[in-house]
Amino acid sequence: MPFRAPVADIAFTLKYAAGLKAALAEGLYGDLGEDDIDAILEEAGKFTTNVIAPLNALGDTHGTPFKDGVVTTPPGWKEAYRAWASAGWNGLSGPSDWGGQDLPLSINAACNDMWNAGSMAFIIGPVLTMAAFEALSAHGTDELKTIYLEKLVTGEWTGTMQLTEPQAGSDVGALRTKAERAGDGSYRLKGQKIFITYGEHDLTDNIIHFVLARLPDAPPGTKGISLFLVPKFLVNKDGSLGERNDVRAHSIEHKMGIHASPTCTMVYGDHGGAVGYLIGKENAGMTCMFTMMNNARLSVGIGGVGVAERATQQAFEYAHERKQGRLASSASNDSVPIELHVDVKRMLMTMRALTNAARTICYATAIALDRGKRGKDDAARKSGSDRAALLTPVAKAFSTDIGTEVASIGVQVHGGMGYIEETGAAQHYRDARIAQIYEGTNGIQAIDLVTRKVSLNGGATVKAYLDELRQSVEKVRAANDPAFGMTAKRLDDAIASLDRATQWILIQLAKNPDAALAGATSYLRMFAHASGGCMLAEEAVAASRSGNGAAHSGDRIAIARFFAETIAVQSPSLEVSVTESADAVTGPALPGAA
Ligand SMILES: Cc1cc2nc3c(=O)[nH]c(=O)nc-3n(C[C@H](O)[C@H](O)[C@H](O)COP(=O)(O)OP(=O)(O)OC[C@H]3O[C@@H](n4cnc5c(N)ncnc54)[C@H](O)[C@@H]3O)c2cc1C
């Protein structure tokens, strides 16, 4: 089924649930107006529907054949990539001095949502290029910027991010790729990286690798890692392409999903060492990576939202067309569309509610990142950065977890046809799964939330956030609309559970860190329930106030209510598993272990 970018819904969520309207009113985005934003989203929607979305199924079946070190992208991908770059999408939030448009990350996030729905396998390449040019822009020398930055921002060249090695996945500090000083200010790299997204392809003339490596005299662990820029082709002084550098793709992986995104093993130094240039300072590579980590994690989270949106649209359409069975509540013998069966309706509403909740969390995270960058003074920027730091692991892990859950429900809505590849429902499920793993596994995100983010500013950051969530609940109460059902009460309970679990975690971090870790994943889910529930409620209240037919206030209230009454309501049980069940995890030996 053709994908339709939900531009109006996305714009409404961005403005009312995530807080863009308030950010515009307080001048965070300068002269940028609502009309400008609507126009950009409209164009991104058209580009997604017309150019990216049609690539998705074709990319899945065709994959990226690899022969003699060369990766061939599926038919039509080169043309689509050229259209992408020439339309300026690659540099939407890129620095304006280097060919970008310097638009807010929140606008980029909303567009990214649509692009991911179009094709995760296509957009993950540009997303990594965006991360690469962000690192170069923040930490590169003027000379490196002059040679590489504009070409990365405009998409003339692509970028890769290379951390992973066979023995160094979540534990980046274990990496062994070596970099030696060449004596002329450059370095020579030797080693192997695995699982490198778009490490090799035929979309552009050059590929710029951003590689973590270790100097001979580096201290062990993450304190001894440096970041290097390593071009596939060296660049001459006049900007033309020179010799091939000593880096190559050795092979590509055969994977469960995102078949059109080549995942490469990269080999450095067959002929003495690949020429690399230092980004930032020696042994400060992790600091450079952290500059872009929040954005990259958010982008991957948005991948979960995008694929969930596509799976949801498809399931709704299928359930409308497919007829089976009769309604228990009707005397008619005619079979009915399955959307009318209560259990199918439950599945469809779960898909829509989870997708919309994850979307609001991601957009709110993007606005916090914008505040961290564009806030009016140091205090405003710090508060924005702290909020973004708190929400980023939730945005990444919850959105990608629900990406898979929603796609799985989508398969179920299709019945047997969901398991048959032709419908495309199975592809969404297979594609969605990787986003829970890369850019820091979701387990690592939960650990980050519990061990580093909850304790930010002595717990004051999370406390201020919970207070804001409570204000959203008060707005639901003040609306005094019976259509909200038990929304306010259920959200109150979810926030109270989250608050108690937060206090418990803050105590355990000092007393018994393993106990805090045992509940980290459940805690992250509770965090998402309270956040998503309140943001959906904000959106529904705004829709009912706006008196604007396009706001679909009835639908938005129904979604907010469904989320509060059937999903957020799980939080009190999760609280028990966080605060009372740690010993069930940490106490006994692993069953069956020798
Ligand atoms: C398709 C694909 C594309 C990728 N693209 C890139 C890329 O472009 N660049 C790049 O550098 N990498 C890339 N990766 C690698 C990816 O980021 C890693 O696979 C990921 O970080 C996990 O590392 P790992 O596979 O070694 O798993 P491991 O680190 O071995 O983890 C296995 C399990 O153990 C858990 N675990 C590990 N350590 C801990 C701990 N300390 N505490 C609790 N739990 C823990 C994890 O959460 C996970 O569940 C890609 C991977 C794939 C499959």
Side-chain angles (χ1 to χ4, degrees):
M1 138 201 177
F3 171 74
R4 292 177 311 276
V7 178
D9 280 341
I10 279 178
F12 197 86
T13 297
L14 190 57
K15 290 175 195 171
Y16 294 97
L20 182 90
K21 199 127 175 136
L24 285 170
E26 76 193 48
L28 187 70
Y29 298 131
D31 295 341
L32 194 69
E34 240 180 273
D35 290 350
D36 303 321
I37 294 168
D38 289 340
I40 296 163
L41 296 180
E42 195 63 47
E43 285 309 309
K46 280 190 205 149
F47 190 84
T48 303
T49 302
N50 300 332
V51 181
I52 304 180
L55 302 173
N56 202 38
L58 179 107
D60 185 53
T61 46
H62 195 277
T64 56
F66 178 82
K67 192 160 185 285
D68 301 331
V70 176
V71 167
T72 308
T73 51
W77 283 56
K78 268 193 217 159
E79 294 74 11
Y81 184 80
R82 256 180 240 131
W84 157 268
S86 61
W89 294 117
N90 207 67
L92 199 65
S93 292
S96 49
D97 290 350
W98 302 97
Q101 300 181 51
D102 215 7
L103 282 160
L105 289 169
S106 51
I107 311 301
N108 199 55
C111 295
N112 199 5
D113 182 346
M114 296 187 252
W115 299 328
N116 265 292
S119 169
M120 266 182 84
F122 177 80
I123 209 62
I124 189 64
V127 157
L128 288 165
T129 305
M130 290 174 201
F133 71 59
E134 208 186 324
L136 180 59
S137 175
H139 301 286
T141 60
D142 287 346
E143 194 185 348
L144 285 180
K145 286 186 196 171
T146 305
I147 301 171
Y148 296 98
L149 193 48
E150 187 162 342
K151 290 199 158 59
L152 286 167
V153 171
T154 58
E156 187 175 334
W157 295 342
T158 61
T160 68
M161 299 303 298
Q162 306 204 8
L163 295 79
T164 308
E165 299 177 10
Q167 77 296 341
S170 302
D171 185 6
V172 181
L175 69 82
R176 292 186 195 138
T177 295
K178 284 188 196 143
E180 290 188 357
R181 299 173 188 95
D184 61 354
S186 70
Y187 296 77
R188 297 292 175 272
L189 273 75
K190 289 183 193 162
Q192 191 199 55
K193 295 283 176 184
I194 61 167
F195 296 163
I196 301 307
T197 299
Y198 280 90
E200 180 56 52
H201 61 75
D202 58 3
L203 298 176
T204 54
D205 295 341
N206 208 357
I207 305 173
I208 313 304
H209 305 300
F210 286 69
V211 186
L212 289 182
R214 194 178 283 291
L215 289 159
D217 48 4
T222 50
K223 291 200 171 91
I225 293 175
S226 307
L227 178 62
F228 299 91
L229 182 157
V230 184
K232 173 179 167 185
F233 285 97
L234 299 173
V235 182
N236 298 319
K237 285 217 157 52
D238 63 359
S240 61
L241 294 188
E243 276 174 41
R244 179 81 197 238
N245 203 354
D246 189 5
V247 47
R248 66 183 170 88
H250 170 267
S251 54
I252 65 164
E253 305 296 341
H254 302 280
K255 348 187 258 294
M256 177 175 175
I258 57 166
H259 289 159
S261 163
T263 306
C264 307
T265 295
M266 306 297 298
V267 174
Y268 290 81
D270 284 340
H271 307 289
V275 176
Y277 308 99
L278 184 70
I279 309 249
K281 295 202 167 81
E282 288 186 353
N283 299 327
M286 288 312 285
T287 315
C288 301
M289 294 303 280
F290 277 125
T291 306
M292 36 112 306
M293 203 84 97
N294 278 344
N295 291 3
R297 290 188 164 171
L298 174 61
S299 289
V300 170
I302 288 172
V305 178
V307 77
E309 173 64 40
R310 190 155 188 175
T312 301
Q313 281 192 20
Q314 184 168 330
F316 269 69
E317 181 145 323
Y318 185 82
H320 186 64
E321 301 293 331
R322 171 75 172 160
K323 289 188 174 164
Q324 279 293 283
R326 280 150 287 279
L327 292 181
S329 54
S330 161
S332 168
N333 270 336
D334 294 342
S335 59
V336 297
I338 58 171
E339 68 182 2
L340 297 180
H341 294 301
V342 173
D343 189 56
V344 177
K345 187 177 175 199
R346 173 195 61 78
M347 290 194 276
L348 295 172
M349 288 186 78
T350 303
M351 294 176 84
R352 177 45 71 208
L354 286 172
T355 304
N356 287 16
R359 174 173 288 141
T360 62
I361 294 171
C362 285
Y363 292 2
T365 308
I367 289 180
L369 283 165
D370 282 334
R371 283 188 201 287
K373 195 170 156 196
R374 298 167 185 251
K376 65 178 184 318
D377 52 29
D378 285 352
R381 287 192 289 277
K382 172 156 176 19
S383 148
S385 296
D386 287 348
R387 171 65 58 88
L390 178 68
L391 291 185
T392 296
V394 183
K396 196 278 174 179
F398 176 66
S399 305
T400 57
D401 280 348
I402 71 92
T404 304
E405 282 168 39
V406 166
S408 174
I409 302 172
V411 171
Q412 196 70 15
V413 168
H414 284 73
M417 287 308 290
Y419 202 70
I420 306 300
E421 288 288 353
E422 279 87 333
T423 59
Q427 185 193 344
H428 304 321
Y429 183 52
R430 291 186 285 98
D431 284 353
R433 191 62 183 82
I434 182 56
Q436 294 175 280
I437 297 169
Y438 59 24
E439 206 48 53
T441 65
N442 287 359
I444 297 292
Q445 303 302 321
I447 293 169
D448 179 43
L449 176 66
V450 161
T451 58
R452 282 186 283 274
K453 304 305 172 58
V454 168
S455 56
L456 267 176
N457 300 311
T461 301
V462 71
K463 182 177 179 308
Y465 180 68
L466 294 180
D467 288 345
E468 264 180 45
L469 296 183
R470 289 190 182 96
Q471 288 168 24
S472 300
V473 181
E474 285 319 309
K475 288 184 195 164
V476 176
R477 284 217 167 81
N480 202 19
D481 183 343
F484 276 104
M486 299 291 285
T487 302
K489 165 85 177 96
R490 299 298 179 235
L491 292 179
D492 262 345
D493 291 347
I495 297 168
S497 282
L498 179 61
D499 199 354
R500 286 189 296 269
T502 303
Q503 299 313 318
W504 185 87
I505 279 180
L506 284 168
I507 293 167
Q508 297 306 318
L509 282 177
K511 220 167 106 187
N512 183 0
D514 271 356
L517 292 179
T521 291
S522 297
Y523 177 78
L524 188 145
R525 185 51 80 114
M526 293 173 71
F527 207 107
H529 284 169
S531 304
C534 289
M535 290 178 199
L536 290 178
E538 277 273 348
E539 179 176 313
V541 170
S544 63
R545 275 192 199 139
S546 73
N548 166 8
H552 302 298
S553 69
D555 285 356
R556 286 180 209 281
I557 293 174
I559 293 165
R561 177 182 177 183
F562 180 87
F563 190 93
E565 293 192 15
T566 74
I567 297 173
V569 77
Q570 297 158 15
S571 282
S573 308
L574 289 168
E575 178 193 351
V576 174
S577 92
V578 173
T579 61
E580 295 179 30
S581 312
D583 194 43
V585 181
T586 59
L590 195 62

